[in-house]
Amino acid sequence: MREFTARFATAEEIENWDKHVTANPNGGNMLQSAAYATVKNGSGWKVRFLVLEGGETASYNLVLEKSFPVLGRLWYLIKGPDLAAVKDLKAALDACAAFVRSRKLNVFTIKIEPDIVDSAEAQAELAEIGLVKAPNIQSNDSTALLDISGPEEVVFKAISSRARNAIRRAEREGCEVVRRDHGPETYLDLYNLMADTVKAKGSMPLRSYEYYAAFWEEFCARGQGNFFFTYEDGKPSVGAFVINYGSKATYKDGGSIQNRKQYGDSHLVQWAAIRRMQELGCTEYDFCGTPPAARIKDKTHNLHGMGMFKTSFTKTVTDFVGCHDYVLMPWKHRLWVKGAEKVFRRIETARTGQQFY
């Protein structure tokens, strides 16, 4: 078994954080990026930059830290740790535990959500480590992933006939996708489309405009954010924000007006985004959130509509193992799961009006 050590990143490593994260064994994740660290830092969370080293392998992981009375600190390794294999997880977590104890950081639980594909073997490994399953936090713990590494015509042929027909019809009928520069006017147009969608379908909670504007600005300022729109009667009708981070593209945010006249506009927006992501060197496109594979056709699931749309591009739903707690102080963790977490979440939401995680 590979042995790991843990440490905080150096100033030089933090300065070049994205370069290190995108070199991780699985290519990192946009939620481990420098842009996201800036968004979260000071918003109730303290950002830590953690490096796990094992043999010739290094893994750079973003840690969100929050302190609580009596309990101490919670660590959230968002979309991490990024490791080459599930068998490395125990040694990596043991290294984290040794590190926080040596630094007397008073961390009672480390919350993890590695992008390890769910399987019987993976679940057995997690059980052997003693991880405690926690409610999933991120929307893409089940998601639709599209391989975009091949030529454009190969990728187009790989998507469903329904999606191809929608794209061709939209093009025939003169629908055009416009790429827009980042800035307040673009942000407000997309946010309004997102609000329309949430109001009509209620599928996902919507954070404040200020949060999204800050989020989009940080990624765009680093050349990692892209906006795509279609229009009806001179007004935005469909909008999408897509992130290029290393070799991975993520359809992060989107919305549309209801009862549109143009058929296939949403599919055309995604196709335009996919083509742009190929130009930027991405080889995988994450549609960022579907129902789990076992419930993809369940009409009662709140993401059913989104799931049907996204799986028209790729039929395969990938389920990751999701969120788990690595418990360092059992009695404090028991307090956390038996009610402390709910209380603190309620207090923070009432105080800030924002989501806890």
Side-chain angles (χ1 to χ4, degrees), residues 64-90:
L64 303 182
E65 177 184 288
K66 195 182 285 282
S67 297
F68 304 95
V70 179
L71 298 177
R73 293 169 173 162
L74 173 73
W75 268 21
Y76 175 23
L77 268 70
I78 188 166
K79 284 296 172 182
D82 187 327
L83 301 168
V86 65
K87 66 179 184 295
D88 289 333
L89 190 55
K90 184 179 188 305

Side-chain angles (χ1 to χ4, degrees), residues 198-210:
V198 170
K199 183 179 179 180
K201 299 180 180 179
S203 53
M204 296 286 288
L206 193 65
R207 294 178 186 264
S208 69
Y209 168 77
E210 290 73 19

Side-chain angles (χ1 to χ4, degrees), residues 180 186-204 206 212 216 226-232 235-242 251-260 265-267 269-270 285 287 306 309-310:
R180 285 178 52 177
T186 299
Y187 302 161
L188 190 58
D189 281 346
L190 181 54
Y191 188 80
N192 286 338
L193 290 174
M194 292 166 63
D196 284 347
T197 302
V198 170
K199 183 179 179 180
K201 299 180 180 179
S203 53
M204 296 286 288
L206 193 65
Y212 283 102
W216 297 329
N226 308 265
F227 289 93
F228 304 86
F229 286 87
T230 58
Y231 291 79
E232 278 190 9
K235 297 180 180 180
S237 53
V238 178
F241 176 71
V242 181
Y251 168 37
K252 173 61 176 64
D253 300 308
S256 61
I257 61 172
Q258 306 306 299
N259 303 315
R260 301 185 305 282
D265 48 4
S266 292
H267 282 88
V269 164
Q270 289 301 313
Y285 192 94
F287 283 88
M306 288 186 182
F309 172 72
K310 293 172 180 180

Side-chain angles (χ1 to χ4, degrees), residues 6-9 17 21 31-33 36-38 40-42 44-52 59-66 73-82 93 96 99-100 105 107 109-112:
R7 61 176 175 83
F8 287 137
W17 185 248
V21 172
L31 293 180
Q32 298 167 325
S33 66
Y36 192 70
T38 302
K40 297 303 287 187
N41 198 29
W45 294 92
K46 179 177 182 177
V47 170
R48 301 275 199 177
F49 298 90
L50 184 72
V51 185
L52 297 169
S59 177
Y60 291 76
N61 297 270
L62 192 65
V63 178
L64 303 182
E65 177 184 288
K66 195 182 285 282
R73 293 169 173 162
L74 173 73
W75 268 21
Y76 175 23
L77 268 70
I78 188 166
K79 284 296 172 182
D82 187 327
L93 291 177
C96 289
F99 176 66
V100 298
L105 297 176
V107 176
T109 292
I110 301 175
K111 192 173 288 291
I112 68 169

Side-chain angles (χ1 to χ4, degrees), residues 254-301:
S256 61
I257 61 172
Q258 306 306 299
N259 303 315
R260 301 185 305 282
K261 292 177 287 186
Q262 177 65 64
Y263 179 82
D265 48 4
S266 292
H267 282 88
L268 188 61
V269 164
Q270 289 301 313
W271 180 237
I274 288 167
R275 294 170 66 191
R276 177 57 181 157
M277 294 302 105
Q278 287 185 302
E279 292 173 356
L280 293 172
C282 295
T283 58
E284 179 183 81
Y285 192 94
D286 184 354
F287 283 88
C288 202
T290 66
R295 297 187 62 191
I296 192 63
K297 295 184 179 180
D298 181 355
K299 294 182 179 180
T300 66
H301 196 284

